[in-house]
Amino acid sequence: MKIGLKITAMAMLPIILTAVVVLGVALYQKSVLSNFFAEEIDRQAQSEAQKIVQSVYLMCRAVQESAQQAVNANLRVAADILKHSGPVSCGRQTATWEATNQFSQEKSLTSLPQLLVGGKWLGQNRDLSRTTPVVDKTKELVGGTATIFQRMNQAGDMLRVATNVTNLDGSRAIGTFIPAAEPNGTPNQVVQTLLSGQIFRGRAFVVNAWYITAYQPIWNADQTEVIGALYVGVEQEKLESLRKGIMDIQVGRTGYVWVLGGHGKQLGQYIISKDGTRDGEVVIDSKDRAGNYFMRRMIDKAIALSPPGEGADIPVVFDCYLWRNPGEPEGRCKSVAITYYAPWDWVIGAAYYKSDFAPLQQRTTEALNNMALWVSFAALLMVLFAPPIGRLIVKVIRLRIDSILKSVSDVLIITDTQDRIFLLSQSAEKLFGVNLSKVESLPLCSIIEDVTLRSKIVEVLKQRRTGVQIDFNWSGPKPGQQRIMRGRTSTIQTRSGNLVGMVLSIHDVTGEQEVERLKNELLSTTVHELNTPLTAIIGYSELMLDNPDQPVAEHREAISYINQRAWALSRIVHDLLDVSRIEAGKEIPVLCEKHDITEIVHQVLHHAQNLTNSHTFEMALPKGPVLLSIDQGKIEQALENILSNAIKYSPEGGPISVTGTIEETNFHLAVTDTGIGMIPEQLSKIFDKFYRADSSNTAIYGTGLGMTIVKNIIDAHSGRIWVESTFGKGATVHILLPLAATESEADSSSSARQNHS
């Protein structure tokens, strides 16, 4: 596969994968969120129903407490009226009563002493239009109902002898009595409390309905026996504000609050229904589609709840059933929060239809669908834009790769694990004469024509190791010019260590080999140059030691020769030190003072004449002193090197001329020999370190550092040096050094600097 296609695919793949992952996550999260919101809506609906049913419970408790307080106050009023009406007593005459049990409705005849209030019999008044003492006065003052009871027997049955509580036919309910025992045989709490001499306060069944009541015992004249009771009360179901408040509560969109009786005659009976349309209806035996008595189930759940403690939360349970109200075409699934108000035996339910919240859930689903649609659209755009973005990335990466490959001077070959070409640097393209775009993905051996080289490269790449080296010769740009090339392998691995490719880096080591050769040659030459004077010094010194009686002239000659060889060694050492300074990027230190250059030339020339017997020296210098600001020792070193070269490279002898002329503000010195000369290529390298014009085995020995040091010395004096030569005819070394400034010029220069500052 082409690298462009690979990079395009690599660039597109993350985008497409991202789009697919985003789309997948969005669709998955849509499903998760849809379920979450459905559950959350249901939880919120349950929480709302729970709060409503708890609020109704609190309403009932508040109404009960308020009504009970009013009834207690009414009882005090009724007691006061009774007190002011006169003492209560039993007369001597009897009255016959048709006594009716208010629970079982059983009737029986009984004769009781007439109950007198203020000495007057209360009578047997059933007609509401006629006034009955005490009870009607109480109703007139405080409202509600009032009754005077007469104890019927030792058991404690209490007979209503004066009352404004009515029967179902609208007559006064005299003749009805509260039995001392409930129908189930348990003691009646009202009678039991009265007989104990206590006031009963609370909810009680009165004739045919439940009331919030207060009963006070009536004692005989001696206060030794309860002979009756005084009652006041308010019918529970006639607390209109409470009923209306409960019926006005709406749960959800169409839900409502209902109240059922929990025990006795009102078990499963609607106390409060939707809009009051089913009040009094008994629904205890209602069944759902599965045949379950769901009303019984809910009442049982409610009654089983523990009563709330002081400051504790009101307990609530939940249930669900299928319900159809009158006028509705079919039943709907209804959820209900249920609690039990024990003081009134009320099972309170806050019911709502789950379908009421369907629109909210539908809107949530639509919002999630829209989100999924937009995410899908965005993912589609990402997929559509992936190819152009990939191509753009490829273009940018390719430009960077091309820039890197063009900037790499070495030959760089990158292959895959099958040795197919992946990348080539520009140098590699030139070396093999190919273009990457045409040979990409082709086997590497297909671009290497040389069979030997091809086998070498293939062999090192097959080793799949880093650091494998290969050396080979390669024809340079000019015919017959061989270049020495060196290649080194590197592996390309993933983070996990898997091999994915190889890198072969090839660079031209011809220069390095040449430097290595020159260094080896320098070492050999230096050893020879050092060994020659050392051998002479050792030989002459041993001769002097072996012949202590040697004639003075011969002794002096030996010491003079040893001194010359020692100075030769010193020059070699100084040359090496100067080269080390040059290599370190430092200038050769010079200490400039005014000196006569002609005198220095005479001294150096005189010394050079002692070095040869086959050369003649010609000198043409200006008459009189020529002052230069120079370091005398360094200039002598430079001139000695130049004259030494003139002597060494004129092996057959001949004249050496030294001329000096003043040219304006410079002194021009030229040293000319008639030696072997140099070709232009040699001339261009004359100042290179370690370079010698003739480096053959028969060449004249030398370190190849002399002219390098000479140039640096002249440069340090702000001078200029150049060489002119013709092969076979000798060479001329030219030096141009600035003249020293006169005192008047120095003073002028100093004044100018001061004025400038």
Side-chain angles (χ1 to χ4, degrees):
M1 184 186 290
K2 298 287 186 180
I3 185 173
L5 292 176
K6 288 183 179 179
I7 298 176
T8 302
M10 291 172 64
M12 289 173 57
L13 187 60
I15 299 174
I16 294 174
L17 284 178
T18 301
V20 171
V21 170
V22 168
L23 180 60
V25 170
L27 294 177
Y28 171 74
Q29 285 297 319
K30 170 186 170 294
S31 175
V32 171
L33 288 175
S34 180
N35 293 332
F36 169 77
F37 284 125
E39 293 174 0
E40 188 63 25
I41 290 170
D42 192 42
R43 280 196 296 269
Q44 290 297 324
Q46 282 192 352
S47 176
E48 189 66 24
Q50 178 179 348
K51 291 178 182 177
I52 289 173
V53 79
Q54 288 173 335
S55 298
V56 172
Y57 183 101
L58 294 173
M59 287 170 60
C60 293
R61 188 164 67 184
V63 168
Q64 181 202 8
E65 291 173 354
S66 176
Q68 189 66 59
Q69 289 175 0
V71 168
N72 293 341
N74 293 350
L75 180 61
R76 289 192 294 271
V77 172
D80 187 68
I81 294 172
L82 180 61
K83 179 180 178 182
H84 284 84
S85 297
V88 179
S89 61
C90 293
R92 297 187 180 191
Q93 296 182 5
T94 61
T96 300
W97 295 90
E98 185 182 35
T100 303
N101 188 317
Q102 71 173 13
F103 295 128
S104 65
Q105 300 300 312
E106 293 180 358
K107 299 180 183 294
S108 62
L109 292 176
T110 183
S111 294
L112 296 174
Q114 293 179 350
L115 190 66
L116 306 177
V117 175
K120 294 181 180 180
W121 183 41
L122 293 175
Q124 293 180 332
N125 181 23
R126 298 180 184 276
D127 188 357
L128 282 175
S129 62
R130 289 190 299 118
T131 302
T132 298
V134 181
V135 294
D136 287 347
K137 183 64 174 178
T138 301
K139 183 176 182 180
E140 179 184 345
L141 291 177
V142 296
T145 59
T147 300
I148 296 176
F149 289 89
Q150 183 179 359
R151 183 174 179 177
M152 296 174 62
N153 48 40
Q154 192 64 31
D157 295 342
M158 293 290 178
L159 179 69
R160 291 181 181 87
V161 294
T163 184
N164 49 31
V165 177
T166 61
N167 291 311
L168 294 177
D169 59 7
S171 63
R172 294 179 189 266
I174 60 171
T176 59
F177 71 92
I178 305 173
E182 298 284 345
N184 59 6
T186 59
N188 183 277
Q189 291 297 317
V190 175
V191 174
Q192 190 176 24
T193 303
L194 290 172
L195 294 180
S196 67
Q198 303 296 319
I199 297 175
F200 175 86
R201 295 183 178 88
R203 178 174 177 267
F205 188 76
V206 179
V207 182
N208 51 26
W210 289 91
Y211 283 70
I212 299 173
T213 67
Y215 292 83
Q216 178 177 303
I218 298 175
W219 298 86
N220 60 10
D222 298 334
Q223 297 290 311
T224 58
E225 185 181 11
V226 175
I227 62 172
L230 177 64
Y231 148 88
V232 292
V234 179
E235 188 177 352
Q236 180 179 288
E237 295 184 15
K238 290 188 176 179
L239 299 172
E240 292 301 327
S241 60
L242 175 62
R243 289 181 59 84
K244 188 175 186 307
I246 292 175
M247 286 191 293
D248 287 345
I249 294 173
Q250 183 173 316
V251 185
R253 191 162 57 89
T254 60
Y256 54 90
V257 176
W258 49 254
V259 179
L260 295 173
H263 294 89
K265 288 185 176 182
Q266 66 176 7
L267 174 62
Q269 184 180 30
Y270 262 128
I271 297 172
I272 300 175
S273 62
K274 178 176 172 58
D275 301 326
T277 57
R278 303 181 70 173
D279 288 0
E281 181 180 343
V282 178
V283 293
I284 187 65
D285 293 326
S286 299
K287 297 180 181 180
D288 58 17
R289 287 183 178 178
N292 298 314
Y293 291 96
F294 64 92
M295 282 295 185
R296 289 182 182 273
R297 182 181 67 233
M298 289 189 294
I299 292 172
D300 291 342
K301 282 185 177 181
I303 294 173
L305 292 173
S306 300
E310 187 69 26
D313 289 338
I314 299 166
V316 176
V317 292
F318 293 91
D319 205 324
C320 185
Y321 57 93
L322 195 65
W323 184 254
R324 182 175 66 85
N325 285 312
E328 293 182 349
E330 59 182 9
R332 291 181 290 167
C333 185
K334 179 179 281 190
S335 292
V336 60
I338 312 164
T339 190
Y340 179 59
Y341 187 61
W344 291 357
D345 192 30
W346 276 14
V347 176
I348 306 170
Y352 61 92
Y353 293 103
K354 289 189 175 182
S355 58
D356 288 350
F357 297 93
L360 176 60
Q361 189 168 351
Q362 185 177 358
R363 288 195 298 272
T364 304
T365 302
E366 289 175 356
L368 291 174
N369 288 337
N370 288 335
M371 179 195 72
L373 181 63
W374 279 106
V375 171
S376 301
F377 180 69
L380 179 61
L381 287 180
M382 291 173 69
V383 172
L384 292 176
F385 281 108
I389 292 174
R391 286 193 291 271
L392 179 62
I393 294 174
V394 168
K395 184 177 180 181
V396 173
I397 294 176
R398 194 57 188 258
L399 286 174
R400 292 185 178 181
I401 291 175
D402 288 344
S403 299
I404 293 172
L405 294 178
K406 287 179 181 178
S407 64
V408 174
S409 60
D410 290 349
V411 174
L412 196 65
I413 303 169
I414 302 175
T415 65
D416 59 17
T417 53
Q418 280 76 42
D419 295 333
R420 293 176 300 193
I421 298 171
F422 186 70
L423 283 176
L424 292 176
S425 66
Q426 197 172 48
S427 302
E429 290 179 331
K430 290 180 180 179
L431 181 68
F432 297 111
V434 296
N435 189 285
L436 176 60
S437 60
K438 295 180 179 180
V439 299
E440 186 180 340
S441 297
L442 293 179
L444 177 61
C445 59
S446 65
I447 67 170
I448 305 174
E449 296 180 356
D450 189 290
V451 177
T452 304
L453 177 59
R454 182 193 308 161
S455 62
K456 284 185 177 181
I457 291 178
V458 170
E459 185 63 29
V460 297
L461 290 177
K462 280 184 178 179
Q463 296 184 40
R464 302 289 188 255
R465 291 190 297 110
T466 295
V468 180
Q469 185 171 300
I470 177 176
D471 292 333
F472 60 91
N473 294 328
W474 188 265
S475 299
K478 296 180 181 179
Q481 183 180 3
Q482 288 288 321
R483 311 297 296 174
I484 302 172
M485 312 297 287
R486 175 170 295 165
R488 187 179 296 272
T489 62
S490 298
T491 58
I492 305 174
Q493 296 178 337
T494 62
R495 289 185 178 180
S496 58
N498 296 326
L499 182 70
V500 294
M502 295 291 296
V503 177
L504 178 61
S505 175
I506 302 174
H507 63 281
D508 189 345
V509 295
T510 306
E512 297 175 13
Q513 295 288 336
E514 179 65 16
V515 169
E516 189 67 25
R517 184 189 65 79
L518 291 175
K519 286 183 178 179
N520 291 334
E521 207 171 273
L522 168 66
L523 181 60
S524 175
T525 303
T526 303
V527 169
H528 177 79
E529 289 291 320
L530 291 172
N531 188 56
T532 300
L534 281 173
T535 301
I537 290 171
I538 292 170
Y540 272 87
S541 61
E542 288 179 348
L543 180 63
M544 292 175 64
L545 291 171
D546 293 339
N547 298 284
D549 299 329
Q550 189 180 22
V552 174
E554 292 180 5
H555 186 77
R556 185 175 182 82
E557 181 182 355
I559 291 175
S560 175
Y561 189 79
I562 289 172
N563 180 261
Q564 289 179 5
R565 295 299 90 195
W567 277 107
L569 282 174
S570 177
R571 281 195 297 273
I572 293 173
V573 171
H574 277 88
D575 285 352
L576 292 173
L577 289 174
D578 287 339
V579 168
S580 69
R581 291 191 187 98
I582 295 169
E583 284 290 316
K586 300 177 182 178
E587 294 183 352
I588 295 177
V590 293
L591 182 60
C592 294
E593 294 179 349
K594 287 184 180 180
H595 294 280
D596 182 2
I597 187 63
T598 58
E599 182 179 347
I600 293 173
V601 172
H602 278 97
Q603 292 176 1
V604 173
L605 194 60
H606 176 73
H607 177 70
Q609 287 174 341
N610 294 329
L611 298 177
T612 179
N613 295 321
S614 59
H615 294 80
T616 60
F617 291 89
E618 300 173 357
M619 184 168 51
L621 298 173
K623 294 181 179 179
V626 178
L627 298 178
L628 303 180
S629 181
I630 55 177
D631 185 320
Q632 181 176 349
K634 296 298 182 184
I635 292 297
E636 287 178 353
Q637 180 183 354
L639 294 177
E640 287 173 356
N641 266 299
I642 293 171
L643 288 171
S644 175
N645 284 342
I647 294 170
K648 286 191 291 184
Y649 290 99
S650 302
E652 296 181 0
I656 297 175
S657 64
V658 180
T659 61
T661 58
I662 297 175
E663 299 178 356
E664 297 180 353
T665 59
N666 296 306
F667 179 73
H668 183 189
L669 184 68
V671 178
T672 304
D673 65 66
T674 56
I676 59 177
M678 291 176 285
I679 61 176
E681 183 181 357
Q682 295 171 328
L683 189 63
S684 65
K685 299 179 180 179
I686 188 66
F687 297 116
D688 291 351
K689 294 187 292 292
F690 310 122
Y691 181 76
R692 294 162 60 223
D694 184 2
S695 59
S696 65
N697 293 333
T698 59
I700 298 168
Y701 280 97
T703 61
L705 299 174
M707 293 306 290
T708 301
I709 295 170
V710 169
K711 185 177 187 310
N712 277 271
I713 291 173
I714 300 303
D715 289 344
H717 285 82
S718 301
R720 189 163 70 90
I721 183 171
W722 68 96
V723 179
E724 296 174 347
S725 178
T726 302
F727 184 70
K729 295 185 178 180
T732 301
V733 179
H734 298 272
I735 297 175
L736 201 64
L737 293 170
L739 296 172
T742 62
E743 291 184 5
S744 60
E745 289 174 343
D747 292 342
S748 298
S749 176
S750 176
S751 298
R753 284 195 300 271
Q754 290 176 0
N755 292 335
H756 178 70
S757 61

